[in-house]
Amino acid sequence: MVDYKLKEIFDKGLFRGVIKFDEPMAAHTSLRLGGPAEVMVFPEDLASLQNVLHAATGEKIPVFVFGAGTNLLVTDTGIEGVVISLRDFRDVGFTGETDGSSVVIHAGAGTPLAGILHFAQKNGCSGIEALAGIPGYLGGAVYMNAGSFGVEMKDVLVSVTVMNGSGEVSMLGRDKMDFSYRQSNLPEGPVILSADIALGRDKPEEIAGRMKEFLQRKKNTQPLGEPSAGCVFKNPEGDAAGRLIEAAGCKGMRTGDVEVSSVHANYFINKGRAKCADFIGLMEAVKERVREQSGIILEPEITIVGKK
Ligand SMILES: Cc1cc2nc3c(=O)[nH]c(=O)nc-3n(C[C@H](O)[C@H](O)[C@H](O)COP(=O)(O)OP(=O)(O)OC[C@H]3O[C@@H](n4cnc5c(N)ncnc54)[C@H](O)[C@@H]3O)c2cc1C
């Protein structure tokens, strides 16, 4: 039992923060589905995070690092081991580094991306306006190399601070993270603690105008108010997964309570009491139809996690 193996650090005051056992992941994911995590912890400080990671590694307990759960599909049987939420690693400010035309912002992994965009706009820092409307935390955005309208996290990232399984902290430059489309690699992994991003300068009102425009474009084309995990499939080279899914006649297709959005075909919506098994079933059915129609094999963009 994971709770028993981690008992020592919880009992001996080596952990500050919230601990939940058998915690339903449906309560934490934007899709509102997913079985329980054996243990979910919300460390409040670096030492607590270090102690949990160190103990889990020593006991060979699997660890899953959790952001805001906006890109996750958690299986119905849930997640084995310990799920670590970084929601309390939340701060944003300037590092003081500047070359006159650019500034560097430092933020904790649990800072909502929207909060960083707001901070940047208010302070006349430009470069991430196109990310307006992407939910989730900074750690998840960096790990997923989140992006929209041609801008990705890798374009502005300078470095990340990470913690490895033994609790050791180090800094990684952008070039060490092996970024590609909605993907990165954390050689020193597994936890991103914070990141530095470099932005240019512009008038706050100009930045606000662009953010508003990008957000409006998203609101017009994406079902932002309904429970989803964003785009289900990656865009294949030179095409858009949403266009291919729509062309294959999949809009409105449904398995159980999961439905292909009629607003944007690459979004699958939880219409009520959706199960992960239904979601995966619908993914397979859509993938097959797209393959029959276009010969293209779609790859998942969402992260599937949990016991099979
Ligand atoms: C309505 C909607 C719209 C969306 N629009 C976009 C879009 O336009 N562009 C886009 O790219 N994405 C989009 N997404 C997907 C999602 O919001 C992004 O991928 C987001 O960056 C994920 O962040 P998160 O904090 O929720 O990560 P999570 O979903 O919690 O985790 C995602 C992955 O990151 C890892 N991770 C999270 N935090 C850390 C950390 N601190 N250290 C190490 N690993 C970590 C997790 O282990 C997991 O593998 C959208 C999602 C929704 C629901």
Side-chain angles (χ1 to χ4, degrees):
M1 294 277 283
V2 171
D3 51 346
Y4 177 74
K5 288 183 175 172
L6 294 176
K7 201 170 175 343
E8 202 178 338
I9 68 155
F10 297 152
D11 284 356
K12 286 194 174 164
L14 297 171
F15 182 86
R16 267 168 44 92
V18 175
I19 306 161
K20 294 186 169 184
F21 299 104
D22 231 8
E23 176 66 6
M25 296 308 291
H28 298 276
T29 58
S30 58
L31 253 178
R32 304 274 167 259
L33 67 79
E38 256 184 287
V39 181
M40 187 170 189
V41 295
F42 304 79
E44 275 176 11
D45 52 37
L46 208 61
S48 301
L49 173 64
Q50 232 155 6
N51 291 336
V52 168
L53 267 176
H54 190 257
T57 305
E59 296 286 351
K60 297 195 168 44
I61 296 168
V63 166
F64 181 75
V65 186
F66 191 86
T70 65
N71 194 60
L72 297 182
L73 177 58
V74 180
T75 58
D76 299 316
T77 37
I79 305 179
E80 197 182 344
V82 57
V83 172
I84 302 181
S85 164
L86 289 222
R87 73 173 182 197
D88 291 326
F89 288 67
R90 184 178 290 216
D91 61 77
V92 53
F94 291 111
T95 61
E97 281 175 58
T98 174
D99 64 3
S101 61
S102 73
V103 282
V104 177
I105 287 178
H106 174 89
T111 314
L113 193 60
I116 296 171
L117 261 70
H118 178 68
F119 177 86
Q121 181 274 325
K122 227 177 39 187
N123 289 286
C125 306
S126 159
I128 46 175
E129 298 88 303
L131 306 185
I134 302 182
Y137 297 162
L138 177 66
V142 171
Y143 187 80
M144 293 305 301
N145 188 21
S148 60
F149 302 118
V151 175
E152 293 177 313
M153 280 309 294
K154 72 168 174 49
D155 302 330
V156 292
L157 191 81
V158 178
S159 62
V160 288
T161 304
V162 292
M163 186 182 278
N164 70 13
S166 310
E168 290 156 356
V169 175
S170 59
M171 195 180 253
L172 280 182
R174 169 182 49 186
D175 54 320
K176 296 279 179 337
M177 288 192 64
D178 208 6
F179 281 115
S180 56
Y181 176 55
R182 302 295 172 263
Q183 212 168 302
S184 70
N185 183 29
L186 279 179
E188 313 291 327
V191 186
I192 297 168
L193 298 172
S194 62
D196 283 5
I197 56 178
L199 299 176
R201 283 290 195 189
D202 201 352
K203 293 195 184 93
E205 56 277 18
E206 298 280 335
I207 299 169
R210 284 195 293 276
M211 277 169 65
K212 204 172 155 196
E213 228 171 83
F214 283 122
L215 197 55
Q216 194 54 50
R217 279 164 73 180
K218 285 205 161 172
K219 282 183 180 161
N220 293 344
T221 54
Q222 297 174 9
L224 298 187
E226 294 184 276
S228 81
C231 288
V232 175
F233 295 104
K234 290 182 180 176
N235 288 329
E237 190 79 42
D239 211 331
R243 193 201 69 75
L244 290 163
I245 298 169
E246 186 170 353
C250 300
K251 265 191 171 175
M253 258 172 83
R254 185 165 175 150
T255 304
D257 268 353
V258 188
E259 192 173 284
V260 177
S261 167
S262 52
V263 180
H264 189 308
N266 201 17
Y267 280 65
F268 291 8
I269 309 297
N270 179 351
K271 299 302 274 188
R273 294 167 174 237
K275 294 275 165 222
C276 179
D278 295 332
F279 199 103
I280 289 174
L282 190 59
M283 281 176 76
E284 290 303 325
V286 165
K287 194 174 156 182
E288 185 50 25
R289 275 221 202 167
V290 169
R291 191 193 61 75
E292 280 169 7
Q293 168 93 17
S294 64
I296 292 171
I297 297 174
L298 295 175
E299 298 288 336
E301 176 171 325
I302 51 169
T303 307
I304 304 175
V305 58
K307 293 178 267 185
K308 297 274 179 307

